[in-house]
Amino acid sequence: MTGKTVTQYSSEEILLNSTQTIFENEINSLPRYTGIQIAVTVTFTVALIQLAMYILRLGIITTLMSDTLVNAFTCAAAFHVVSLQLKDLFGISVVKREGLFKIVMTVYDVCMALPTANIAAVVTSTVFIAVMVLNNEILKPRLAKITRIPLPIELIAIIAGTTLSYALNMHQEYGVNIIGDIPSGLPEPALPVFSLIPTLAFDAFIIAMISYTVTMSLGLTFAQKSHYEIDSNQELLALGLSNCFGSFFSCMPVAASLSRSLFQHTVGGATQLASLVSCTIILVVLLWIGPIFENLPRCVLASIIVVALKNMLLQFTSLKKYWILNKWDALNWLVTFLITVFIGIDIGLFAGILTALLTIFVQGYRPYSCLLGAVPNTDIYLDIKRYRGSKEIPRIKIFHYSGGLNFALKSIYRSSLFQNVGFDPITVITQREKAKNTSNTSKACIEPYEIPQCVILNFSSVTCIDPSGVDMLRELINNYRQLNVETYIAACPGPIFETLVKCEEYQSKKKKNTFKFFPTIQDAVTSAQNNLLRK
């Protein structure tokens, strides 16, 4: 993503890609910025955005990243990483693909280039992968019973690969691709181009969001594996400070690396001390011993990465679990995985978050409702369709509803109530008015259903209510009263009760006491039965 921004705004790239003389004068009049200047300015702008998010405590956006989304995203990202290692595993040269279906096209290119595969690279990859898999599956579990210090098989593989390459002269004799030139030293510090910040702000915002969400998704994965908690806002601070410092030393925006994170986790890294040791070793390599590893075969590095990604790739099997447990989670997994694999990591992540929001909305828009019946000789009331022992109380309907009662859900509540109780009061009132002008019509023909004497609304699971919901509830109660049906509200939570009372006092100036509250369903049932006895 940084490379796309560099290509778009760097003067070097514009001059290189421009072939039309019409724009030569316009191009020559533009300010000249090198690719490094654009990249470090993007890094600095990303740092500003992430630090602003930290100050505003916007780490809460990670609450949208469910375990299902993280599982699918990291699994798809693992496929991306593996597809990039194929050319090194087989020792072939393929064009780097970009855009839609990048993985498919990369695999296609690799398959077409297999006849030209380097036999030495294939054999080396096979041997190193086999040795590391045997170590992880057989030797490592047995060694863990003896000592907590793991066998550093990856470090052994790097040393063995480098030694083997030097001894057999694999690059010249067998054409095996090696790491190549590794420059020593650190870049000189330089300031970003501050005047470019407004121009690069939008691209930097997208990069900042992707960097943060990718880092958090991997962090949540390892936190779940190792049983610890992470602070989402602390991660924002870490990323922001890293990018701010790095922007003065020719660094691109940072994000967690799936392959390197898995590698460090595999070799036993569990605390911040692992990162400190890792950074120290990298510094030593950059300053002094980097050239020693110039002859390390790239197929050895690719083998280490592929073996480390094995468990991530096997997360594909979790789709069966999600499908059995919850179809909505399975849908979220599939959408996130497929779009991330076939379209792109950034779009796949956003698609997963949007799908998660959609599933929350759809499930919230279909709240659970039912009629409750009494369990004999108790004050317990259960769903009459789910529990055979619960019995309806004669001439009393107890309606249970779980969810919000707001402007978006009030029609759902009303229709669910009418469907469960068995009649629509507006329809009954209309039929009765028409029947007044019709002679010789029996009541059974007009009202082919039994109208109860009392409807009890169980509010124990109502999560929220707004003035629109209160208005609907008041109208509903008034319609029932026209039919001489009493309506009680039972087990109303404190915040819901306060909202109902406030709306009643403010909106009903003349007629108050529309709502009749009872602390429990049993109290409402007792009152209703007493009223029926009086009648």
Side-chain angles (χ1 to χ4, degrees):
M1 295 178 71
T2 305
K4 291 178 183 178
T5 307
V6 170
T7 303
Q8 184 176 356
Y9 293 102
S10 171
S11 304
E12 297 171 349
E13 295 289 342
I14 294 175
L15 290 171
L16 181 64
N17 297 327
S18 177
T19 57
Q20 299 183 20
T21 57
I22 297 177
F23 300 105
E24 284 183 359
N25 295 330
E26 183 179 350
I27 292 173
N28 291 330
S29 64
L30 293 174
R32 297 298 180 89
Y33 299 114
T34 64
I36 292 179
Q37 287 178 310
I38 299 293
V40 298
T41 305
V42 169
T43 304
F44 184 76
T45 310
V46 168
L48 295 180
I49 294 171
Q50 290 174 336
L51 289 174
M53 291 174 65
Y54 166 74
I55 294 172
L56 297 174
R57 314 300 288 176
L58 295 180
I60 195 170
I61 62 175
T62 57
T63 56
L64 300 176
M65 301 174 65
S66 64
D67 293 340
T68 307
L69 186 149
V70 171
N71 184 284
F73 178 75
T74 51
C75 181
F79 277 90
H80 274 277
V81 176
V82 169
S83 70
L84 295 176
Q85 309 306 317
L86 293 176
K87 59 183 178 63
D88 292 328
L89 289 174
F90 294 104
I92 56 180
S93 178
V94 295
V95 178
K96 185 177 180 180
R97 295 282 187 169
E98 297 292 343
L100 302 180
F101 303 102
K102 179 173 65 175
I103 288 183
V104 177
M105 299 305 297
T106 300
V107 173
Y108 173 79
D109 292 341
V110 169
C111 293
M112 296 302 294
L114 280 180
T116 63
N118 187 292
I119 303 300
V122 173
V123 172
T124 303
S125 301
T126 304
V127 171
F128 275 85
I129 288 176
V131 170
M132 286 185 286
V133 168
L134 289 175
N135 171 78
N136 294 339
E137 301 297 330
I138 299 175
L139 182 60
K140 187 176 180 180
R142 295 182 179 180
L143 191 62
K145 298 177 181 178
I146 303 173
T147 177
R148 295 184 61 183
I149 301 176
L151 179 67
I153 187 66
E154 291 82 5
L155 179 60
I156 295 173
I158 291 175
I159 296 174
T162 305
T163 305
L164 191 66
S165 179
Y166 274 113
L168 301 180
N169 197 13
M170 297 180 69
H171 181 56
Q172 284 78 17
E173 295 293 332
Y174 301 99
V176 175
N177 294 327
I178 59 175
I179 296 296
D181 180 55
I182 300 178
S184 300
L186 297 175
E188 295 182 0
L191 291 174
V193 185
F194 298 111
S195 60
L196 279 174
I197 291 178
T199 305
L200 303 176
F202 180 76
D203 294 321
F205 175 77
I206 300 297
I207 293 174
M209 294 301 297
I210 295 298
S211 166
Y212 175 61
T213 49
V214 168
T215 301
M216 281 302 302
S217 67
L218 293 180
L220 291 170
T221 300
F222 292 110
Q224 187 177 18
K225 286 183 177 181
S226 302
H227 309 291
Y228 63 87
E229 297 291 333
I230 58 176
D231 185 345
S232 55
N233 288 301
Q234 188 71 16
E235 295 298 320
L236 277 172
L237 178 62
L239 288 172
L241 292 179
S242 300
N243 284 319
C244 184
F245 183 80
S247 64
F248 297 97
F249 291 91
S250 304
C251 292
M252 292 193 300
V254 302
S257 167
L258 178 59
S259 57
R260 275 168 278 183
S261 300
L262 275 173
F263 176 80
Q264 183 164 288
H265 185 268
T266 302
V267 298
T271 67
Q272 294 292 340
L273 186 61
S275 297
L276 181 61
V277 173
S278 175
C279 291
T280 304
I281 294 174
I282 290 174
L283 182 62
V284 172
V285 170
L286 288 175
L287 294 178
W288 296 292
I289 65 174
I292 296 177
F293 297 102
E294 288 181 352
N295 277 349
L296 174 64
R298 298 181 67 91
C299 59
V300 174
L301 279 181
S303 302
I304 295 172
I305 293 173
V306 169
V307 173
L309 288 172
K310 179 178 76 75
N311 290 332
M312 286 289 180
L313 295 172
L314 292 179
Q315 286 181 168
F316 187 87
T317 58
S318 62
L319 176 59
K320 179 181 178 181
K321 176 188 72 175
Y322 291 124
W323 183 261
I324 294 173
L325 297 179
N326 191 309
K327 298 297 189 294
W328 290 107
D329 280 349
L331 175 64
N332 191 9
W333 198 99
L334 274 174
V335 170
T336 305
F337 177 81
L338 294 177
I339 294 182
T340 302
V341 168
F342 293 110
I343 297 181
I345 288 179
D346 50 353
I347 299 176
L349 186 60
F350 281 127
I353 293 175
L354 290 176
T355 306
L357 289 174
L358 179 62
T359 56
I360 292 172
F361 174 77
V362 171
Q363 293 180 81
Y365 201 72
R366 298 174 59 188
Y368 167 66
S369 62
C370 65
L371 282 182
L372 300 182
V375 177
N377 303 319
T378 70
D379 58 353
I380 299 173
Y381 295 86
L382 301 175
D383 185 350
I384 60 174
K385 292 184 178 179
R386 292 178 181 268
Y387 302 93
R388 296 178 182 177
S390 58
K391 304 294 182 182
E392 272 196 89
I393 301 174
R395 305 180 72 182
I396 297 176
K397 298 288 186 180
I398 306 173
F399 177 68
H400 175 81
Y401 175 88
S402 299
L405 188 52
N406 50 38
F407 69 95
L409 295 171
K410 62 181 183 180
S411 59
I412 301 292
Y413 182 89
R414 185 169 51 228
S415 60
S416 298
L417 174 62
F418 296 162
Q419 182 179 0
N420 280 278
V421 173
F423 70 97
D424 182 348
I426 301 296
T427 303
V428 175
I429 293 171
T430 305
Q431 290 176 345
R432 288 185 178 182
E433 289 178 352
K434 290 181 178 180
K436 291 180 181 178
N437 303 322
T438 305
S439 59
N440 299 326
T441 304
S442 65
K443 186 177 179 180
C445 295
I446 300 172
E447 300 173 9
Y449 30 70
E450 180 184 356
I451 296 180
Q453 295 297 312
C454 181
V455 174
I456 299 174
L457 306 178
N458 178 25
F459 266 40
S460 61
S461 298
V462 175
T463 56
C464 63
I465 191 169
D466 64 1
S468 297
V470 176
D471 289 338
M472 181 276 299
L473 200 60
R474 184 184 298 108
E475 180 183 356
L476 192 67
I477 292 174
N478 291 332
N479 290 334
Y480 277 134
R481 280 180 178 171
Q482 294 183 45
L483 300 175
N484 296 320
V485 177
E486 290 292 331
T487 308
Y488 299 157
I489 298 176
C492 186
I496 308 298
F497 173 79
E498 292 169 2
T499 303
L500 287 168
V501 171
K502 187 185 298 183
C503 293
E504 181 74 359
E505 291 177 351
Y506 182 79
Q507 295 178 347
S508 299
K509 300 295 183 181
K510 297 180 180 179
K511 294 182 65 177
K512 293 187 177 182
N513 300 323
T514 303
F515 306 118
K516 294 182 179 181
F517 299 99
F518 292 88
T520 65
I521 298 177
Q522 182 62 39
D523 294 323
V525 169
T526 302
S527 178
Q529 288 176 334
N530 291 336
N531 289 336
L532 289 174
L533 287 174
R534 291 194 203 100
K535 292 181 181 181

